[in-house]
Amino acid sequence: MENRPSTNTTNWMPSVRWMLSPVKRYTPLLAKWAIAFGPAEYFVLMVFAIVCLGGMAGDKPLKTFVAALIGLFLSAVGIDANSGVYRFTGDNIHLTDGIQFVVLVLGLFSISEILLLLEKTHRGQEAVKATGRMMFNLKEAGAVFVVNIRCGLLGFIMGVLPGAGATLASAVAYMTEKRLAGASGKFGQGDMRGLAAPETAIGASACGALVPMLTLGVPGSGTTAVMIGALSLYNITPGPLLFQQQPDIVWGLIASLFVANIMLVILNIPMIRIFTRILAVPNWALVPVIAIITAIGVYAVHATTFDLFLMVGIGIFGYILRKLDFPLSPVLLGFILGGLMEQNLRRALSISNGALEILWSSPITFGVWVLTAIMLFVPLLRIWRKRAQQRRALADV
């Protein structure tokens, strides 16, 4: 692992980005504006979030859409709260309450990761050795200071967009810095700007993803989707009313993240040597520990072995999706948004006595539908430009 000072630099700059982020400044203003949202506006906004997943998914928008639809389908499993009809339960009483959030998360991410680790162990894996300096110096930190400021703001904006996430933020930041560097840049050959830019954007996008989560109740990333699921376990519903009804929770969360980032700076820099040693732990030692912790976490929810088997089944399904290059975060986002979409759609249609015009009659819903249509054409435009570039390249040859 070469260029260790660059890796250490990325440990503290995202923390600085959080301290400078405008989350605590603009989130209450957006929450006041979001109070005007009704069931129809929330439904259209969640449709927009699903479409954004595909529109910003890089080279695989179709797979991202399919993954989000899988999440929507999984959210429909269980008894219908309004009609009492059993949906997709297979006459299994354990699925009456639907698929538990903890089971889905641990199955998709933990079990599938265990299977990937076992696959790597079967193929053979070389231990990772850390070489070179571990600590950065002031000269190196100063060289990327402007880069971190610029990419921090860019990453925050990308994080606010529903479904954009850290992947898109890091890719945009890297390409932006590479374009600005021009011929003087040595990206791909150890240029610190190439490492600091995406890492800072990732940290800033995590801050930005909190804005739609706290103000609109819409997850901006896979991480905030997990946070919404965790808050729902305590009967806490993120959204604009959260600032009025439970402001201590909102500002307590923001303050705790502020303190946590300071602690990360204190811990990360001196402990970088210990963290790099974790990479040298063989998979045969990691897999049993991960499996035991995962099984305990799932069994503690309902104390039923069915949840364990369901988790393993979801994990195998997630492993297949990962092997087919399907992203897993859209599955989680679709699962979170599915129930909210259904509730708000039913409330909107109940208000309008079944008239569909309520879904586009207000200025807010009409505007969001326009944005949704634009996001639908983004991947099509990207594919068209890519094919046009390929045709020009073939013509030049």
Side-chain angles (χ1 to χ4, degrees):
M1 296 173 61
E2 300 294 339
N3 203 11
R4 298 307 306 172
S6 299
T7 305
N8 196 278
T9 303
T10 62
N11 285 326
W12 63 276
M13 285 312 295
S15 299
V16 175
R17 201 80 330 53
W18 164 261
M19 299 173 195
L20 299 178
S21 75
V23 174
K24 52 186 176 295
R25 182 177 304 173
Y26 297 114
T27 299
L29 299 178
L30 185 57
K32 292 181 179 178
W33 174 72
I35 293 177
F37 276 45
E41 287 78 10
Y42 270 111
F43 171 76
V44 177
L45 181 65
M46 291 169 189
V47 173
F48 173 70
I50 294 293
V51 172
C52 281
L53 291 175
M56 299 181 177
D59 296 330
K60 45 186 179 182
L62 181 59
K63 290 185 177 181
T64 306
F65 276 128
V66 173
L69 291 177
I70 292 173
L72 291 175
F73 168 76
L74 294 176
S75 68
V77 175
I79 189 172
D80 190 336
N82 292 327
S83 64
V85 175
Y86 289 85
R87 302 183 300 189
F88 312 113
T89 60
D91 295 330
N92 192 316
I93 193 173
H94 295 286
L95 292 176
T96 302
D97 294 332
I99 300 175
Q100 299 299 315
F101 179 78
V102 175
V103 176
L104 179 68
V105 172
L106 294 181
L108 280 179
F109 295 98
S110 182
I111 299 300
S112 64
E113 185 65 28
I114 288 176
L115 295 175
L116 289 175
L117 290 175
L118 290 175
E119 181 183 1
K120 293 179 182 178
T121 304
H122 177 72
R123 293 179 178 177
Q125 181 186 38
E126 296 181 0
V128 180
K129 296 181 180 180
T131 59
R133 271 190 304 122
M134 295 289 178
M135 291 295 295
F136 63 90
N137 52 41
L138 293 178
K139 180 180 179 181
E140 292 167 338
V144 297
F145 181 77
V146 177
V147 173
N148 279 280
I149 295 293
R150 182 166 51 239
C151 293
L153 295 174
L154 179 62
F156 177 82
I157 295 173
M158 301 302 297
V160 172
L161 299 176
T167 303
L168 180 66
S170 61
V172 172
Y174 182 85
M175 296 305 299
T176 300
E177 289 303 320
K178 186 176 181 179
R179 190 179 298 110
L180 292 175
S184 63
K186 295 182 179 180
F187 286 69
Q189 302 177 5
D191 195 317
M192 290 185 63
R193 292 172 293 181
L195 182 62
E199 289 294 332
T200 303
I202 289 174
S205 67
C207 305
L210 291 174
V211 174
M213 186 201 80
L214 292 175
T215 58
L216 302 174
V218 177
S221 64
T223 304
T224 50
V226 175
M227 293 180 66
I228 289 179
L231 291 173
S232 65
L233 295 177
Y234 295 93
N235 295 322
I236 300 173
T237 304
L241 295 180
L242 188 64
F243 282 82
Q244 295 181 352
Q245 298 174 353
Q246 296 174 303
D248 53 333
I249 294 179
V250 178
W251 295 111
L253 174 63
I254 295 176
S256 65
L257 291 174
F258 187 88
V259 175
N261 277 270
I262 297 176
M263 296 303 298
L264 282 175
V265 174
I266 298 174
L267 294 175
N268 279 351
I269 295 178
M271 297 183 68
I272 185 64
R273 293 179 181 273
I274 299 176
F275 295 151
T276 54
R277 295 289 190 273
I278 298 177
L279 298 175
V281 177
N283 290 339
W284 60 263
L286 281 177
V287 169
V289 175
I290 298 174
I292 292 173
I293 295 175
T294 302
I296 293 175
V298 169
Y299 189 79
V301 177
H302 285 152
T304 62
T305 55
F306 176 82
D307 287 345
L308 294 175
F309 288 113
L310 181 61
M311 176 190 67
V312 173
I314 293 175
I316 295 174
F317 180 66
Y319 170 76
I320 295 173
L321 290 179
R322 294 177 71 168
K323 296 299 291 184
L324 295 176
D325 202 24
F326 279 81
L328 295 184
S329 294
V331 178
L332 188 60
L333 290 171
F335 182 81
I336 292 293
L337 293 176
L340 298 174
M341 289 177 65
E342 182 180 8
Q343 293 175 12
N344 285 286
L345 176 61
R346 285 185 167 178
R347 290 172 184 171
L349 295 179
S350 176
I351 293 173
S352 64
N353 292 323
L356 294 176
E357 289 80 3
I358 192 175
L359 298 180
W360 59 78
S361 58
S362 70
I364 296 178
T365 55
F366 181 79
V368 177
W369 278 122
V370 171
L371 294 176
T372 303
I374 294 174
M375 292 308 304
L376 280 175
F377 284 104
V378 167
L380 298 177
L381 179 62
R382 187 184 297 118
I383 294 173
W384 178 81
R385 292 181 60 184
K386 184 177 181 180
R387 290 180 179 178
Q389 292 175 356
Q390 291 176 349
R391 286 195 295 267
R392 293 194 198 98
L394 292 175
D396 294 338
V397 174

